[in-house]
Amino acid sequence: MNKKVRVRFAPSPTGGLHIGGMRTVLFNYLFAKHNNGDFILRIEDTDQNRFVPGAEEYIFECLKWCGLEPDESVLHGGGYAPYRQSERKELYKQYAEQLVKEGKAYYAFDTPAELEEKRKTVPNFQYSQLTRSEMKNSLTLDEDAVQKLLAENIPHVTRIKMPHDETVGFVDMIRGAVNFNTSQVDDKVLLKADGMPTYHLAVVVDDYLMKITHAFRGEEWLPSSPVHILLWQYLFGIENMPEWAHLPLILKPDGKGKLSKRDGDRLGFPVFTMNWTDPKTGELTAGFRERGFLPEAFINFLALLGWNDGSEQEIFTIEELIKKFSIERVHKAGAKFDYEKAKWFNHEWIKRSTVNSLQLTLKPLLINAGVEVNDDEKLKTAIELVKDRCTLLPDFVQQSSFFFQSPKEIDINSIKPKWNEHKQQFFAELIHVYGLSTLWNHEELENSFKELAAASQIKPGDVLLPLRIMLVGGKFGPHVFNIAEVLGKKETINRIKHTLSLLSSELNG
RNA sequence: GGCCGGUUCGUCUAUCGGCUAGGACAUCUCCCUUUCACGGAGGAAAGACGGGUUCGAUUCCCGUACCGGCUACCA
């Protein structure tokens, strides 16, 4: 019988959550749910110098917004607590000690300053089997000296002792067999001078202790995998190592390299999941949520960045993604981020969303933008009428505010050049006709409008645009008679009168 | 520099030896629309290069080039 699938996302709470990280969350989540497994969130806060207040809460908020809730975490509980590595500090030391005892690791007493100096003077310096004999460590110092340093609490780290000329490898779920020669790998630090483990030790220990069965991480981790493989061998048995998949990177749309938050500022698109303000610098990095993305669209877009189900389908609900996801179908190569395509996904999702669900997120957004939304039914009608022309949620402000309040600006310049007494007369009569109308719906309004135009010997096309500008304020929006229907008789007539008075003063002046 | 990974239209991708190389975004043309969109029809646009293997290679192998990642007491 197979073990229950358990996967983890293990972010370091040092700032905003990049879309690459969010995609790793998504793939973890989809894989877990596809296999009826558990999704664990583990906080990797072993670097105390990089602690950023609020970052952890922010990560949870991002997951919540996307609906990708962990089964186990600091917040959700679970049988493998604590889920914060800083709270597991004491656990790691024994494993490091075990490795030293078995001759698979050693203490190193070189100070950071000494190492820095070394790197300055020796090009491409690596603390490795080539150089460790000339450094200050428990391999070069005699036993008494080491014991003395230890007894004096001289700061030191524990390094893995990479074996000579061995091939270590594994089968990546996405890339297939990957092999390394241990002679090429340096003696990575396992336990830092402050007693905290590095990522290398912590990830292996915790993946074992938390019974992780499959581990997904970015491609940038590939080069350190031989260290992790060796640790599994030494500590827990290679047969217990999770299956690994190294995810392709998300690249800059222009230039080269992986996408960074700076690219967003530079090119004008969000890179983080939600807005993030650096508590130290106050610098704000834009997020997809605040930019007006629907979480469904955001997830759909992320899933398709590097994965597809082999068909031509592009729009997927989360349920479909769970059903169809397979890690083997993840593309090997990195993908350049395409903001236009991301917006297309959002537009598609807006068009497909029901008025009721849109109304829920849109109402506060509109009120916040100063639109006086006082009638939910009217709001729903307005959303139905304009949603096809909104790509991002804030587009609804411009596209629907005129339903609730008369336009602040009227683009009178688009009417003026062709304005004349005849048209002025037509609209004066239109006010009269509309005032008498008993059936206020768009068909009737259009009919009586056209009848009046014919009677006035005026082409409907010549007065349609002016009418639109009177009601909307500009050259946009849904069909003008639909708008008039929603506005109602009184408001429609008022707006016509208002613009008419503006125009007549223009005409006379 | 060394190690590891990658390479199909401008971009995201399909293809698991038979291809007239398919789709989507963007772009262009037209239709619909007396606004802006939506929608519909169509166009242009790709297998880095060189060797093998094979009846046949985009697909398999090897080299080269190029791109990327890593090379911290950061993750």
Side-chain angles (χ1 to χ4, degrees), chain A residues 478-499:
Chain A
H479 289 293
V480 69
F481 297 107
N482 283 313
I483 295 169
E485 178 182 323
V486 175
L487 289 177
K489 184 193 276 195
K490 187 171 164 232
E491 183 64 16
T492 300
I493 290 175
N494 278 347
R495 291 193 191 180
I496 296 172
K497 277 184 181 164
H498 174 67
T499 310

Side-chain angles (χ1 to χ4, degrees), chain A residues 253-279:
Chain A
D254 60 351
K256 311 150 190 298
K258 52 179 178 179
L259 185 67
S260 79
K261 63 173 183 170
R262 294 204 152 268
D263 298 312
D265 300 340
R266 187 168 57 84
L267 271 10
F269 55 74
V271 166
F272 284 170
T273 303
M274 311 184 314
N275 276 1
W276 168 256
T277 306
D278 187 304

Side-chain angles (χ1 to χ4, degrees), chain A residues 354-469:
Chain A
T354 63
V355 167
N356 282 334
S357 74
L358 284 173
Q359 197 246 151
L360 250 37
T361 47
L362 249 24
K363 189 175 175 182
L365 186 145
L366 290 169
I367 289 172
N368 231 309
V371 182
E372 293 155 33
V373 184
N374 42 23
D375 180 342
D376 285 356
E377 284 313 308
K378 190 168 158 187
L379 175 60
K380 287 182 190 176
T381 311
I383 292 172
E384 185 60 53
L385 250 20
V386 305
K387 66 176 188 167
D388 279 1
R389 53 205 88 205
C390 294
T391 299
L392 297 171
L393 261 15
D395 293 346
F396 278 95
V397 175
Q398 130 102 314
Q399 287 292 338
S400 66
S401 63
F402 58 82
F403 285 110
F404 301 96
Q405 57 216 27
S406 47
K408 291 189 181 66
E409 303 257 319
I410 293 178
D411 180 14
I412 207 154
N413 290 328
S414 292
I415 313 179
K416 245 181 356 193
K418 291 183 180 173
W419 195 250
N420 56 35
E421 280 296 346
H422 193 43
K423 289 180 182 175
Q424 182 92 14
Q425 184 61 33
F426 170 84
F427 278 100
E429 284 168 30
L430 186 68
I431 290 168
H432 180 68
V433 171
Y434 277 1
L436 294 174
S437 89
T438 50
L439 253 182
W440 192 262
N441 65 53
H442 66 271
E443 290 98 342
E444 287 303 319
L445 293 170
E446 181 165 0
N447 286 340
S448 50
F449 182 90
K450 286 187 171 166
E451 280 166 22
L452 180 62
S456 318
Q457 293 189 316
I458 198 163
K459 279 188 282 183
D462 290 344
V463 278
L464 224 31
L465 185 67
L467 176 63
R468 165 175 301 281
I469 288 172

Side-chain angles (χ1 to χ4, degrees), chain A residues 88-335:
Chain A
R88 303 167 67 81
K89 183 174 173 183
E90 296 315 314
L91 272 171
Y92 308 105
K93 191 174 174 159
Q94 54 173 303
Y95 293 104
E97 290 300 318
Q98 179 188 334
L99 291 170
V100 173
K101 275 199 193 81
E102 294 172 358
K104 285 159 177 159
Y106 57 91
Y107 301 121
F109 299 93
D110 320 84
T111 66
E114 283 165 354
L115 290 173
E116 198 182 325
E117 184 58 29
K118 199 85 182 166
R119 291 197 178 90
K120 246 188 243 169
T121 51
V122 183
N124 301 321
F125 173 79
Q126 297 239 97
Y127 206 119
S128 70
Q129 52 197 278
L130 258 32
T131 56
R132 62 184 169 228
S133 62
E134 57 204 52
M135 305 300 287
K136 204 193 301 173
N137 54 52
S138 59
L139 266 20
T140 57
L141 269 26
D142 60 51
E143 181 66 21
D144 290 348
V146 172
Q147 288 309 326
K148 189 166 177 267
L149 288 170
L150 256 24
E152 285 170 1
N153 274 327
I154 300 299
H156 62 279
V157 301
T158 307
R159 287 181 181 272
I160 187 169
K161 185 181 171 192
M162 288 307 285
H164 178 66
D165 197 26
E166 280 178 27
T167 299
V168 292
F170 71 103
V171 178
D172 189 283
M173 283 187 273
I174 296 172
R175 291 151 211 282
V178 184
N179 292 299
F180 302 83
N181 187 301
T182 54
S183 296
Q184 302 287 347
V185 186
D186 59 330
D187 290 352
K188 289 264 181 275
V189 170
L190 264 21
L191 210 59
K192 303 186 245 186
D194 65 359
M196 278 288 190
T198 59
Y199 171 81
H200 307 295
L201 213 214
V203 74
V204 170
V205 168
D206 285 342
D207 280 356
Y208 172 74
L209 261 18
M210 294 183 178
K211 295 193 166 62
I212 301 304
T213 58
H214 301 263
F216 311 136
R217 64 200 340 182
E219 194 186 336
E220 71 268 28
W221 289 106
L222 213 36
S224 59
S225 61
V227 177
H228 309 149
I229 292 170
L230 251 19
L231 289 175
W232 273 98
Q233 258 175 38
Y234 296 160
L235 259 15
F236 309 118
I238 198 71
E239 68 281 1
N240 294 316
M241 191 174 87
E243 286 195 61
W244 284 348
H246 289 86
L247 271 22
L249 266 16
I250 299 177
L251 277 9
K252 298 177 197 295
D254 60 351
K256 311 150 190 298
K258 52 179 178 179
L259 185 67
S260 79
K261 63 173 183 170
R262 294 204 152 268
D263 298 312
D265 300 340
R266 187 168 57 84
L267 271 10
F269 55 74
V271 166
F272 284 170
T273 303
M274 311 184 314
N275 276 1
W276 168 256
T277 306
D278 187 304
K280 275 197 201 105
T281 64
E283 183 196 2
L284 175 98
T285 308
F288 278 83
R289 186 230 243 168
E290 288 78 3
R291 191 58 70 90
F293 277 78
L294 256 15
E296 295 89 340
F298 181 58
I299 280 175
N300 192 164
F301 161 68
L302 246 31
L304 272 278
L305 204 57
W307 174 86
N308 73 84
D309 74 337
S311 76
E312 280 169 5
Q313 182 177 350
E314 294 200 89
I315 304 298
F316 293 90
T317 62
I318 187 74
E319 289 79 15
E320 288 174 303
L321 288 172
I322 290 170
K323 201 170 158 208
K324 295 182 173 172
F325 185 77
S326 76
I327 199 80
E328 291 81 8
R329 283 205 64 87
V330 174
H331 201 69
K332 291 185 184 73

